[in-house]
Amino acid sequence: MRLELQGISKRFGDLVANDRISLTAEEGEIHALLGENGAGKTTLMNVLDGLYRPDEGVIQIDGAPVHFANPGEAIKAGIGMVHQNFMLIPVFTVSENVMLGFERTRRFGFLDRGRARQEIGELSRRFGLEVDPDAMVGDLSVGQQQRVEIVKALSREAHLLILDEPTAVLTPQETDELFTVMRSLRASGRTILFITHKLKEVLAIADRITVIRQGKVIGTTRPSETTAQDLASMMVGRGVDLQVKKTAARPQEPILEVHNLTVLDETGRVAVDGLNLEVRAGEIMAVAGVQGNGQTELSEGITGLALVIAGSVRIAGRDLTGASPKTILRAGVANIPEDRQRDGLVGDFQIAENIILDVHDEMPYSLHGALRWPSIFEVSQGRLSDFDIRAPSVHVAVKTLSGGNQQKVIVARELPRHIRLILAAQPTRGLDIGSIEYVHSRLVAARDAGAAVLLISSELDEVMALADRIVVIYRGRLTGPFDAASLGREQIGLLMAGSAADATRPGETA
Amino acid sequence: MSGNVTPAPEKAPRRPFLRRALDAIVSGNAFTVTFLAFVSALILGAIIIILATPSAIRAWQDFGYAPGEALRQSWRAVANAYGSLFLGSIGSPRAIIDAIRSGDGASVVAAFIPLSETLVSTTPLMMAGLGIALAFRAGLFDIGGQGQLVLGAIGATIAGFSFPSLPAVIHVPLAILSGAAFGAAWGFIPGVLKARTGAHEVITSMMLNYVGMNLLTWLLTTGLVQAPPRNQAISKVVVAAARLPSITGSSLRANLGIVLAVLLVLGVGWLLNRSTLGFRFRMLGANRDAARVAGVQIERHFTIAMTLAGMLVGLGGAFMVLGVDFRLSPLYSGSIGFDGITVAILGRGTPLGVGLSALLFGAFTAGGRTMQVNTSIPLQLVQVLQAVLVLFVAAPGVIRTIYRIRLTKAGGRVFGGWAG
């Protein structure tokens, strides 16, 4: 199926999300749509999927113009969408999920499960999408759930598959498997629109690459004709240094000493399982791992937000096991939480109020229980320029800022304090390249100033770029530490998938 | 497409007035919305008045023969009802001016009775709204206003009749503090239950309403509280030294209560905007998770916020009994504890807004009584007006649906965090 977009524009009020976008995906082609967050990729996709109507422009399929009023029409036209957040029902089986909305029935309205199961089997075999039709979706790994989504799209006879940031939640090995599937789909003549912001993946899999920036097509190229550096420049609109500049670490005394730490998750399962970790002043220790292997609970255990069941946490020589979050913050811990909008910021508050969120009861921001707004505004104003926060004033609500600027507000709040330990969880998730560079350089600078940095990240590139030492977390347990220089991507990938770690845990039959 | 929205300076294209007015409602400009909601409520009220006036209805049945008469009768009914509402809440401007010119003390007092009655009705509404708004701002939904108000009244009454020989300078503050303490206790219970056990404050505070109101009914049968000779369900009378003094020095019922209420509005305004405690309350209300990560002990602050809320609402009950009624009777709180919720919503949770909303509702209440006497329109019309007003303010979606306005990005939210 050949897809052609001609001059697609979509506006939201004054904001032009898509500005006369034209691109052509040929039959049997993997076409990558590359752009930063906010470049307009998602809008374009929603136009293709029938969720939005374009203000201008024409969509042509195999040369004939089409109009979609809703996603159902897009599906009928052969467009299959695999969203970033899966649209699956966890308590249904794989075959039930695939059937959902397109149930085949036998006489008297009984569901024809046998037929669905058979179809799934055929599709899986044909494209290497191994998945058990009778498994409960909630029990599957993220990678397997993604396969279910693809099978679902294929079972509806999709000839154009749109994959929205499909690798964000995958291990490197799972990514490789996905690429194999994508190649076999291409071989069968299907067209794939691969939406991503990851340069390496684009170069590895795409036939052609279209880069968009600020809603406009910047150019279309082929992997053989470009480099990661060039693509990054096209995405950002200026020269970009992909390498983090840093000198060798000069580690000092241990700042964070975690011993035998055990933390439960919200459902009461052991999420951090007797974990040992030491981070020294002047080094960046990275905790690599696929999301959901205990990273959240590890950082909450250290910051006092989660109940520590067993073990101890020492920070700068003080035993702070089970201490209150406030005591731990006061001991010199900077916390850059994983979910910045939920845990790091109050969206409706002004920038200035967010700057003092965890220090509002200290001088010079308050005295005897009364806030001193003039000092608060003065300090915040300074932070705006020191940390390159792009905002009209310190009085605007933080929720109106872009993700990158929101993260800078957090960094501007946490780093200027007297810091011994920085806990940075997924600090660049969803940020634009400029902001990523910025956050990285700040973390390295803090390290060089003598802070201990614990970086929790599921982005392998980030781990490789920043870490002095690396541990890998899998099901609440750590492997390592390894010297960053001595460990290759492949090895980390294997460890992230649990190959070397002890895969069984107490209370669980593996 | 995610959130690269920087607020651009507003370019104002010329649009028809109505269009702009409706846009203002949707985009949540507090003052405009409230004003337009007020106008809409009055229009709806006018329709109800016409429907409730037999002469107007009859005139409409003869619309075919005498259309002018139908309109005339309708206009007369509406003007009459709203005129009474105005006369009962503010009074006749001419009468006020004439009375002041004449210099006759008795007629001045008489001319100011409506305003005085408005202030009397405003006082407990303001306190109830203030307490509930404070809880809102901390992300808590206190619907225990009824119970807290009753407890405050009980505390003030008991202190008010128990010490027959104290001088007023001691007795008045003592009775007020006693009411505050009783109300605070009724807020503390749901607060501490939420903090310790996670029990939802909506459930616990609502249940405590029943406990509080029945506690009053029971107390009115005990020797401690019931007035001798104990054949009526009323309490002993607050002694003169514990009563709130009049602010006019005349027979008008307006008393120190309204002054204290206004001071407390200013105090809560300071608390929310200028104090670290208020900053933490607002943090809790706007994003509980971020507050926790920032080191706020959220359980403790739940308890403090609910206790303060209960105290403020309880003071409303104390001001009522010490300033106007001087004794308790069954079902003493009426529906003021619930009306406090509507006052808090209409006031958008801000102390200033609460003060103005309470004044409006106080005027409605005082004027509604006059209207009921002068016309065939029952007092309940006032409650309909209040309800419609709040509906329009708190749920802009209603207006949007009625007028089929497209959803704009800045759709206002009055409060966050009612659930959880």
Side-chain angles (χ1 to χ4, degrees):
Chain A
M1 191 164 104
R2 180 175 189 271
L3 174 80
E4 192 173 349
L5 303 181
Q6 293 169 345
I8 299 285
S9 291
K10 179 71 193 171
R11 293 180 205 90
F12 299 96
D14 291 340
L15 186 82
V16 184
N18 286 166
D19 188 0
R20 283 161 289 160
I21 287 188
S22 299
L23 67 84
T24 308
E26 302 291 343
E27 180 161 320
E29 178 185 60
I30 298 178
H31 196 110
L33 189 61
L34 183 69
E36 294 207 87
N37 292 298
K41 292 174 296 188
T42 309
T43 307
L44 186 64
M45 211 172 41
N46 287 334
V47 166
L48 268 177
D49 196 32
L51 280 170
Y52 296 154
R53 266 162 203 260
D55 297 325
E56 285 164 28
V58 182
I59 304 172
Q60 288 193 346
I61 288 180
D62 295 331
V66 289
H67 299 280
F68 304 134
N70 56 54
E73 293 186 8
I75 290 172
K76 276 200 201 106
I79 294 180
M81 180 91 121
V82 177
H83 290 273
Q84 202 169 349
N85 304 313
F86 304 143
M87 312 283 177
L88 296 172
I89 299 177
V91 295
F92 277 18
T93 65
V94 169
S95 52
E96 285 166 342
N97 266 288
V98 171
M99 290 166 81
L100 193 67
F102 289 80
E103 299 87 354
R104 288 181 203 280
T105 49
R106 291 179 289 157
R107 244 176 310 171
F108 308 121
F110 286 104
L111 291 174
D112 194 349
R113 290 168 202 269
R115 179 117 169 255
R117 197 178 293 129
Q118 196 188 333
E119 273 184 17
I120 294 169
E122 278 167 23
L123 286 168
S124 312
R125 267 191 302 283
R126 206 166 138 208
F127 298 108
L129 288 155
E130 283 147 55
V131 60
D132 174 6
D134 297 319
M136 229 26 125
V137 159
D139 296 337
L140 299 180
S141 74
V142 176
Q144 288 169 318
Q145 292 189 19
Q146 191 173 56
R147 284 183 209 158
V148 177
E149 282 280 19
I150 297 175
V151 169
K152 199 166 97 182
L154 293 175
S155 76
R156 283 156 207 189
E157 291 172 9
H159 285 273
L160 170 72
L161 272 175
I162 304 175
L163 307 178
D164 183 14
E165 300 277 0
T167 60
V169 289
L170 302 183
T171 65
Q173 278 73 20
E174 285 174 323
T175 302
D176 288 345
E177 287 165 22
L178 174 69
F179 285 178
T180 311
V181 170
M182 284 166 69
R183 288 190 190 100
S184 68
L185 287 167
R186 173 176 61 190
S188 76
R190 285 175 172 80
T191 310
I192 296 176
L193 204 53
F194 174 45
I195 294 167
T196 186
H197 66 276
K198 294 185 180 174
L199 304 169
K200 290 203 174 87
E201 295 176 355
V202 165
L203 291 171
I205 186 84
D207 298 311
R208 286 195 302 156
I209 305 161
T210 296
V211 181
I212 64 174
R213 180 174 83 229
Q214 290 169 356
K216 290 194 183 75
V217 172
I218 300 304
T220 299
T221 179
R222 291 173 188 281
S224 55
E225 294 161 2
T226 187
T227 63
Q229 198 75 47
D230 290 344
L231 287 175
S233 305
M234 285 169 79
M235 271 166 76
V236 183
R238 61 180 168 82
V240 172
D241 195 355
L242 292 176
Q243 223 60 44
V244 179
K245 284 193 197 70
K246 67 183 178 88
T247 55
R250 276 181 294 166
Q252 313 283 320
E253 77 285 2
I255 296 291
L256 174 69
E257 296 160 276
V258 172
H259 183 66
N260 196 27
L261 185 72
T262 304
V263 183
L264 305 183
D265 68 11
E266 281 169 348
T267 62
R269 293 189 321 165
V270 175
V272 171
D273 189 5
L275 185 151
N276 294 299
L277 180 65
E278 183 187 279
V279 187
R280 296 167 296 180
E283 74 169 349
I284 297 178
M285 169 74 88
V287 179
V290 181
Q291 285 172 46
N293 273 289
Q295 293 97 323
T296 310
E297 291 79 7
L298 170 63
S299 64
E300 289 187 347
I302 294 171
T303 49
L305 292 164
L307 185 65
V308 173
I309 299 296
S312 67
V313 176
R314 294 176 73 82
I315 295 167
R318 280 170 69 193
D319 184 358
L320 291 173
T321 318
S324 74
K326 185 163 189 137
T327 312
I328 291 167
L329 287 169
R330 292 289 175 278
V333 176
N335 185 11
I336 302 176
E338 180 181 332
D339 186 338
R340 63 182 152 265
Q341 278 162 0
R342 198 189 70 188
D343 294 329
L345 296 167
V346 179
D348 290 325
F349 275 20
Q350 305 173 8
I351 294 176
E353 290 174 304
N354 275 290
I355 290 281
I356 60 160
L357 221 50
D358 54 12
V359 288
H360 68 275
D361 50 355
E362 292 177 2
M363 276 293 280
Y365 313 111
S366 67
L367 187 63
H368 306 309
L371 294 170
R372 304 171 74 209
W373 285 112
S375 321
I376 293 168
F377 291 139
E378 194 190 315
V379 170
S380 307
Q381 197 63 52
R383 301 278 168 85
L384 222 56
S385 46
D386 291 353
F387 287 82
D388 191 31
I389 301 166
R390 310 272 168 83
S393 85
V394 296
H395 303 292
V396 300
V398 108
K399 69 178 177 196
T400 63
L401 302 180
S402 71
N405 281 309
Q406 290 185 354
Q407 189 73 325
K408 285 179 190 170
V409 171
I410 295 181
V411 170
R413 174 177 74 222
E414 297 296 316
L415 296 192
R417 290 191 281 131
H418 179 67
I419 290 301
R420 307 300 304 275
L421 171 69
I422 297 170
L423 199 66
Q426 319 291 358
T428 59
R429 178 181 290 167
L431 300 193
D432 56 283
I433 291 186
S435 302
I436 292 174
E437 281 181 305
Y438 186 80
V439 171
H440 283 173
S441 69
R442 281 284 173 170
L443 289 177
V444 171
R447 177 202 76 165
D448 292 341
V453 180
L454 182 64
L455 169 74
I456 297 175
S457 178
S458 50
E459 291 270 354
L460 206 44
D461 289 335
E462 178 165 77
V463 168
M464 299 302 283
L466 282 181
D468 300 310
R469 292 196 295 162
I470 297 172
V471 287
V472 179
I473 193 165
Y474 179 72
R475 294 195 175 180
R477 291 187 170 184
L478 292 182
T479 326
F482 306 96
D483 221 14
S486 71
L487 206 60
R489 293 178 66 90
E490 274 307 298
Q491 283 168 286
I492 300 183
L494 288 170
L495 291 170
M496 280 164 75
S499 70
D502 183 2
T504 56
R505 287 191 306 174
E508 192 181 273
T509 49
Chain B
M1 194 14 253
S2 66
N4 257 330
V5 188
T6 30
E10 190 86 7
K11 276 175 291 186
R14 298 301 303 170
R15 283 165 303 165
F17 167 77
L18 191 64
R19 182 73 215 171
R20 270 182 291 152
L22 294 175
D23 278 355
I25 287 188
V26 175
S27 66
N29 174 315
F31 185 80
T32 324
V33 170
T34 312
F35 177 75
L36 287 169
F38 183 65
V39 172
S40 311
L42 286 183
I43 293 170
L44 203 74
I47 296 170
I48 295 171
I49 289 167
I50 293 164
L51 291 175
T53 307
S55 59
I57 292 292
R58 266 194 308 276
W60 277 100
Q61 282 163 351
D62 297 336
F63 184 73
Y65 312 108
E69 183 61 17
L71 293 175
R72 204 161 24 244
Q73 286 289 344
S74 302
W75 171 255
R76 188 175 300 160
V78 172
N80 204 4
Y82 284 155
S84 307
L85 202 59
F86 186 84
L87 283 180
S89 55
I90 296 172
S92 151
R94 185 178 301 157
I96 292 175
I97 293 166
D98 288 349
I100 292 172
R101 283 227 184 99
S102 74
D104 171 27
S107 53
V108 171
V109 167
F112 276 101
I113 284 176
L115 274 175
S116 163
E117 287 307 300
T118 292
L119 293 183
V120 164
S121 301
T122 299
T123 308
L125 286 169
M126 199 181 278
M127 294 311 301
L130 193 61
I132 290 162
L134 180 70
F136 275 164
R137 294 298 289 277
L140 296 168
F141 199 27
D142 174 17
I143 50 178
Q146 292 286 78
Q148 291 152 10
L149 192 104
V150 162
L151 264 285
I154 291 173
T157 307
I158 291 176
F161 66 63
S162 295
F163 310 99
S165 52
L166 280 179
V169 279
I170 298 175
H171 206 170
V172 169
L174 181 74
I176 292 175
L177 287 178
S178 170
F182 273 60
W186 233 238
F188 173 79
I189 296 169
V192 80
L193 284 177
K194 186 180 181 77
R196 293 278 164 81
T197 69
H200 201 296
E201 76 279 2
V202 165
I203 311 290
T204 51
S205 66
M206 192 202 299
M207 292 306 130
L208 282 175
N209 283 340
Y210 298 112
V211 179
M213 289 189 283
N214 287 313
L215 180 69
L216 171 66
T217 311
W218 172 73
L219 278 175
L220 289 176
T221 66
T222 63
L224 172 70
V225 174
Q226 193 177 17
R230 302 195 55 190
N231 54 9
Q232 266 185 299
I234 52 169
S235 74
K236 295 174 190 168
V237 179
V238 171
V239 299
R243 297 180 182 179
L244 295 176
S246 161
I247 47 173
T248 56
S250 67
S251 63
L252 291 176
R253 298 204 298 167
N255 59 72
L256 188 65
I258 185 68
V259 178
L260 295 175
V262 169
L263 289 176
L264 283 161
V265 164
L266 297 176
V268 171
W270 183 88
L271 178 83
L272 282 173
N273 297 315
R274 295 292 167 89
S275 76
T276 54
L277 181 65
F279 186 74
R280 290 192 289 273
F281 284 163
R282 290 193 292 122
M283 238 155 110
L284 271 182
N287 184 346
R288 200 172 285 179
D289 292 307
R292 204 166 73 98
V293 172
V296 177
Q297 294 167 288
I298 58 174
E299 287 80 13
R300 224 184 100 192
H301 284 81
F302 282 152
T303 313
I304 299 174
M306 280 304 281
T307 307
L308 285 177
M311 186 192 84
L312 292 167
V313 182
L315 278 171
F319 293 163
M320 265 169 86
V321 79
L322 297 176
V324 182
D325 298 319
F326 313 125
R327 69 190 328 166
L328 294 170
S329 52
L331 304 175
Y332 185 68
S333 53
S335 66
I336 295 169
F338 289 130
D339 294 343
I341 300 173
T342 37
V343 167
I345 294 173
L346 186 63
R348 296 181 167 249
T350 67
L352 179 66
V354 164
L356 296 175
S357 310
L359 193 60
L360 179 66
F361 278 26
F364 272 154
T365 310
R369 278 185 235 124
T370 308
M371 181 182 71
Q372 179 161 257
V373 173
N374 291 353
T375 69
S376 59
I377 313 299
L379 182 61
Q380 279 72 18
L381 174 74
V382 162
Q383 282 165 355
V384 173
L385 288 182
Q386 292 176 356
V388 170
L389 187 49
V390 170
L391 204 62
F392 283 158
V393 169
V398 175
I399 291 261
R400 249 187 250 124
T401 314
I402 293 173
Y403 298 97
R404 296 176 193 279
I405 308 171
R406 215 161 54 96
L407 184 75
T408 65
K409 194 157 187 134
R413 206 181 43 146
V414 181
F415 297 108
W418 286 10

